[in-house]
Amino acid sequence: MANPIDGKNILLGVTGSIAAYKAADLASKLTQNGAVVDVIMTPAALKFITPLTFQSVTTRKAFTDDDLWGGEGHVRHIGLGMAGDLLVIAPASANTIAKLAHGIADSLLTVTALAARCPIMIAPAMDGGMFENPATQANLEILRQRGFIVIGPAEGHMASGLVGLGRMVEPSELLGQIRWHLAKEGPLSKVRVMVTAGGTQEPIDPVRMITNRSSGKQGYALARAALDEGAEVTLVHTPTNLVLPIGAAETLVHTAQEMADAVLKYADQTDILIMAAAVADFKPVSKADQKIKKDSGFSNIQLEPTMDILKALAEKRVHGKNPKVVIGFAAESQELLQNASKKLAAKKLEMIVANDISARDAGFSVDTNRVTLLFADGRSKEFLLLTKEAAAIEIVKEAVVLYQKIQH
Ligand code: CTP
């Protein structure tokens, strides 16, 4: 699926807080992601930022209380409230939170919130003392109970000069939360997807290890794509410098054995497993407790095979039981399709992603992949050069079809 923000109507409520300037960044990011963004500013917000700022980034009129009483005034709030897929109030001041909690509707924003039929997300922003005040806490609790999605606040420097809990979360975090929220009703809603990513690390001594060139990018992109379809995603990954997509749970592992333990432990709570990780096939027989010194010599490393996770899973899998769909990868530098279809059969997979790593623009560490999807029923689908994000979308699209077939 495309980005779930694309084409959505987002109402962005902006209240009186210094963090209002960050709302301009959020409005811009939402617009760049394809949303139609209608901004509603409270009178206090106008003290911090002008409608023109928002109009410039959204290319749409930003509404103020002048629109509540003027022209088509009496229906404006109903119209806005009905058309939105999501109302995001960021920053949400303590004052607006109090009004929302008690159904006070004295501005276009609060009246729209009261009339809205769509979910409401709020990002509190205030001084730490105001946030901790029992009145604010009680108001937030009321809103949570009523289904409002409360994001933050974060800890850090506040306008008062104090450091504490009260800062609005960053626009990039809010964007991720909005994306996650808008995807939740997707075709993989309530479906648990486990994705493995990265190359495992097999220690030789406390400082040295055997690993491979996998960056984890394809696995992270798969987690993102599954989240965009509404799935509950767990990413089992080795250390990478990639950012976990918002909404995904994570389990950090290092060795093939740790990855095997994690995958096999949660296999029966997993509906779809996508093994994108590059798991080491061999590991040192033993790990030296202390760093091996140069003087002591280092002529060879004795290796032994690791567990083949997919094979181990295939042996205990029962048809119709979890994981219902298992997708593997085949990284090949020669005889791509023959080798991949052998693995498809040997590991009893529903689908394998044959990945040609001989090309310079595909495989490890680069941003693109050349993939062919091979299915257990003999079908295949070949793709031209794709970004790893685009490849992930195609792979997850097929996972949805395979999963839905098994469900019916
Ligand atoms: N895999 C696994 N456990 C291993 C090695 C690989 O579960 N110990 C999984 C990978 O995550 C991938 C698939 O098996 O989804 C194929 O991995 P690949 O390295 O291409 O194949 P191998 O089975 O290791 O065979 P070879 O290295 O000989 O090509």
Side-chain angles (χ1 to χ4, degrees):
M1 193 178 98
N3 180 344
I5 295 175
D6 194 11
K8 293 290 188 330
N9 291 304
I10 311 271
L11 299 173
L12 176 59
V14 182
T15 73
S17 154
I18 180 60
Y21 79 91
K22 290 190 191 172
D25 187 18
L26 178 61
S28 167
K29 285 186 160 73
L30 286 167
T31 307
Q32 284 167 36
N33 274 264
V36 176
V37 183
D38 281 318
V39 174
I40 308 174
M41 304 174 71
T42 63
L46 293 169
K47 308 255 185 224
F48 290 92
I49 191 164
T50 70
L52 184 62
T53 308
F54 289 105
Q55 280 162 204
S56 307
V57 293
T58 65
T59 71
R60 294 172 69 79
K61 175 180 165 60
F63 297 100
T64 67
D65 279 4
D66 290 346
D67 302 290
L68 181 59
W69 305 115
E72 44 181 321
H74 66 292
V75 290
R76 168 71 75 200
H77 55 287
I78 309 289
L80 285 170
M82 295 296 276
D85 292 298
L86 182 68
L87 167 57
V88 181
I89 305 181
S93 65
N95 185 39
T96 296
I97 287 170
K99 288 181 189 175
L100 294 172
H102 297 284
I104 295 169
D106 63 348
S107 68
L108 181 60
L109 177 59
T110 49
V111 88
T112 302
L114 202 58
R117 293 280 172 268
C118 63
I120 303 179
M121 180 183 284
I122 61 171
M126 65 200 72
D127 176 70
M130 293 169 80
F131 178 68
E132 279 157 25
N133 189 295
T136 305
Q137 288 300 316
N139 290 334
L140 282 168
E141 195 42 40
I142 290 173
L143 295 180
R144 277 197 198 93
Q145 299 258 336
R146 289 189 193 143
F148 280 56
I149 308 150
V150 182
I151 309 295
E155 201 153 344
H157 279 277
M158 290 172 295
S160 60
L162 300 172
V163 176
L165 204 57
R167 275 172 70 94
M168 188 177 94
V169 297
E170 292 304 314
S172 55
E173 157 92 17
L174 276 173
L175 186 77
Q177 294 284 354
I178 292 167
R179 182 170 180 162
W180 184 33
H181 182 82
L182 289 173
K184 275 187 180 162
E185 300 306 315
L188 290 183
S189 177
K190 307 219 162 45
V191 177
R192 293 160 301 178
V193 175
M194 189 194 289
V195 180
T196 65
T200 59
Q201 304 179 341
E202 310 302 329
I204 298 167
D205 69 10
V207 289
R208 304 176 180 98
M209 63 188 179
I210 298 175
T211 188
N212 57 62
R213 294 173 56 209
S214 168
S215 63
K217 281 181 189 163
Q218 186 64 73
Y220 276 65
L222 283 159
R224 161 94 281 156
L227 284 165
D228 284 348
E229 297 289 350
E232 290 170 17
V233 176
T234 302
L235 190 59
V236 178
H237 66 88
T238 56
T240 67
N241 51 16
L242 303 171
V243 180
L244 186 76
I246 286 176
E250 66 178 329
T251 300
L252 175 68
V253 297
H254 295 83
T255 63
Q257 187 59 50
E258 285 171 17
M259 186 166 279
D261 291 345
V263 171
L264 298 176
K265 183 172 172 193
Y266 296 110
D268 59 356
Q269 295 158 46
T270 299
D271 298 298
I272 300 173
L273 170 65
I274 308 179
M275 279 289 294
V279 187
D281 291 322
F282 300 98
K283 63 174 185 193
V285 169
S286 60
K287 176 194 159 196
D289 288 337
Q290 305 298 331
K291 183 183 172 195
I292 299 169
K293 302 299 285 178
K294 196 163 36 187
D295 294 347
S296 66
F298 202 102
S299 57
N300 64 53
I301 305 169
Q302 265 210 322
L303 300 174
E304 63 184 4
T306 58
M307 181 198 290
D308 187 317
I309 305 170
L310 283 179
K311 265 205 183 134
L313 187 66
E315 277 159 26
K316 57 178 231 164
R317 250 179 103 194
V318 180
H319 188 72
K321 292 260 167 70
N322 282 338
K324 298 192 183 82
V325 174
V326 181
I327 296 171
F329 273 68
E332 307 292 348
S333 58
Q334 57 182 346
E335 297 185 37
L336 176 71
L337 299 184
Q338 294 90 317
N339 283 332
S341 54
K342 268 189 218 153
K343 287 177 191 169
L344 174 75
K347 303 190 185 208
K348 297 196 182 130
L349 307 171
E350 275 65 38
M351 179 174 108
I352 195 157
V353 183
N355 200 354
D356 181 359
I357 55 161
S358 62
R360 283 185 51 181
D361 53 6
F364 295 126
S365 301
V366 295
D367 290 325
T368 46
N369 253 347
R370 283 176 194 281
V371 300
T372 303
L373 308 182
L374 303 179
F375 298 86
D377 62 9
R379 285 179 302 126
S380 69
K381 262 192 185 179
E382 190 184 344
F383 293 93
L384 296 173
L385 191 68
L386 293 176
T387 63
K388 286 186 174 170
E389 284 73 29
I393 290 170
E394 297 298 341
I395 293 163
V396 169
K397 214 190 272 173
E398 295 301 335
V400 172
V401 175
L402 288 168
Y403 182 74
Q404 286 173 342
K405 248 189 224 161
I406 286 170
Q407 290 301 94
H408 296 121

